[in-house]
Amino acid sequence: MIKNIWRFRAAILPGSIIALSFLLLALSIFYILFLHTNQIEFSFNFLNHRIIHLIEFTIFQAFLSTLLSLIIGTLLAWSLAHQNAFFGRNLLIALLSSSLVLPTLIVVFGIISILGNNGWVNRALLSLFDTSLGNFVYGLSGILVAHVYLNASFAARSILHVFESIPKERYKLSKSLGFSVLTRFVLIEFPAIKNSLKSIASTIFLLCFTSFAIVLVLGGSPAYNTLEVSIYEAIRIDFDIPMALKLALIQLSITFFLVILSSNFHTGLSNIKTASTPVPWREPIATHRVQILIILLCSFLFILPLISIVVDGLGANFGRIFHDALFLKSLFTSILIASCSSIMTVICALLMSDARRNFNINHRIKKSKARTLIDLLIAFSGNIYLAIPSLILGLGFFMFSQTFQGPQVLWALLALLSANILMSLPFALSILYPSMQKIAQRYDKLAFSLNLEGKSRWFYCEWPYLKTSVAYVAALSFCLSLGDLGVIALFGSDEITTLPWYLYGLMGSYNTKDGAGVALMLLVLTLSIFILLPKVFTRNFRATNQ
């Protein structure tokens, strides 16, 4: 094994060093938190009534959000899978894909515009029926609405791919046996999507369990705080560092347990378009109408907050916004950090995937327990963010800044870059690693026989098959970094600020007009990069090769 590792050292060492660095960073975060928690009476009143309530509510809202997201996502995916001729179907699927990169603060802003005390719904109810929903959007109801908005679309997009992968022969068999729609779903469709549902449910639960921006804005009161928001309030509002450390360790323990529990549920995220292969007969008329109704209703609910951001944003005074020096600084910082994070995420994902595939291909390194262990360590290092959310990571860097002398801006930049890379890495690896493994399995013998190594192998064997995925990963990580409000909530100041933090400041000061304008710019910037960057990237590559 050592001989083969040495043979492929150029492919193994860079990615392994990066994976080892991430593991060391995670251990350092644990160590710095543990080091400081030793200074307090940690065992005294460890789980008091308040902390138990925080844990219960965090789990409760995550469970309800996951359940509702799965139900709505499955219904929408089922309807889209059986309505291939629906007008605007491809556009709707593209919008569902973009929900993954929508900044949560924009979604919150749109939901408040629709359901807030002075939102569209309340104004319509007051004018038509002289009644309103009041502050319905603040509290558990608002948290659930925002979580379901983001995660149901993610679930629908993922489950739709599974529905469309079901062999059409099974549908033909169900038709010949005269199955009802319900029997067909129970005997054919549900067994096909069952494993994906487990995987998607575990991912959504973890996302909702560590949700920050949504709970921070829509929680409304301490009764609806989660662990993540309580850590933020303990640091920024109460200046109670021991309490923040205690909550951080509790959250780390629970997330680690959840990550290990869900480690058997695997799902893949792909930029490959779904293959629409229509079933050659129409659904029963009643089922057809129900499916159309579900698609229309979900489309309306998904698009409405985005429309409200556009409509409200167009009424903003953009001249005043662009003359604000703090806005320009926030915009420049956000783009700079997102660009650096995107480039570093792509490099890390490519090198880690290159290293990991050596430990999964028998003709490179033979199967053994050591090979399996190294493979697991590299895979785990790329998914550390699921166990250490950005706010905990930020708290670790905050404690580093208190322990080691250095400019606060430097620590903030390090924390932001680290959090953004770790946040994007699970998605980047799930896209790039399967492709790189297939390339090696298919072209290794030919490349070895032609003595293709290094740059030659990369340009002739790897790049032609990876360029689309690399562009997608670059756009995805840029957008995820652009909209993050986790770490900057701890380090945000006049010295360093980002666009989401600037928008949060406008919302906190009830400057909704300027906030609407900034939200619109953030939305346009995010969707433009997500849609256009892969196309421009691929087009330029074609032009240089003609």
Side-chain angles (χ1 to χ4, degrees), residues 101 269-272 338-339 341-343 345-347 349-350 424 427-428 431-432 435 458 462-480 526-542:
V101 297
L269 178 70
S270 172
N271 59 326
I272 300 170
S339 301
S341 302
S342 174
I343 293 168
T345 300
V346 170
I347 293 172
L350 284 172
S424 306
F427 301 109
I431 293 167
L432 292 176
S435 301
W458 169 254
E462 315 277 356
W463 182 243
Y465 296 96
L466 289 176
K467 59 180 185 291
T468 306
S469 297
V470 167
Y472 181 71
V473 167
L476 184 71
S477 55
F478 182 95
C479 296
L480 287 174
T526 302
L527 291 182
S528 300
I529 293 292
F530 187 64
I531 295 169
L532 296 180
L533 183 61
K535 292 182 179 177
V536 172
F537 200 83
T538 309
R539 189 179 301 160
N540 286 343
F541 175 79
R542 284 177 186 158

Side-chain angles (χ1 to χ4, degrees), residues 70-87:
L70 281 183
I71 292 172
I72 295 172
T74 304
L75 282 173
L76 180 57
W78 171 72
S79 303
L80 284 170
H82 290 282
Q83 295 299 327
N84 293 279
F86 180 79
F87 179 75

Side-chain angles (χ1 to χ4, degrees), residues 30-43 241-249 399:
F30 269 113
Y31 178 71
I32 196 75
L33 294 180
F34 181 74
L35 190 68
H36 285 78
T37 48
N38 273 342
Q39 299 172 9
I40 63 174
E41 293 293 334
F42 205 67
S43 58
I241 300 300
M243 175 57 76
L245 293 169
K246 183 190 284 191
L247 294 174
L249 282 182
M399 299 314 300

Side-chain angles (χ1 to χ4, degrees), residues 3 39 67 100 116 122 230 235 239 257 297 379-380 390 402 434 480 516:
K3 185 180 175 182
Q39 299 172 9
L67 183 65
L100 186 67
N122 274 338
S230 297
I235 298 171
F239 304 104
F257 173 74
L297 190 60
F380 180 75
S390 60
Q402 302 297 307
L480 287 174

Side-chain angles (χ1 to χ4, degrees), residues 135-149:
N135 282 324
F136 160 82
V137 78
Y138 295 104
L140 178 61
S141 52
I143 294 170
L144 292 179
V145 168
H147 280 165
V148 171
Y149 179 90

Side-chain angles (χ1 to χ4, degrees), residues 255-284:
T255 49
F256 256 102
F257 173 74
L258 292 173
V259 169
I260 293 171
L261 191 68
S262 60
S263 59
N264 290 326
F265 307 147
H266 299 290
T267 187
L269 178 70
S270 172
N271 59 326
I272 300 170
K273 292 180 180 177
T274 53
S276 181
T277 49
V279 178
W281 59 81
R282 286 177 63 87
E283 292 283 89

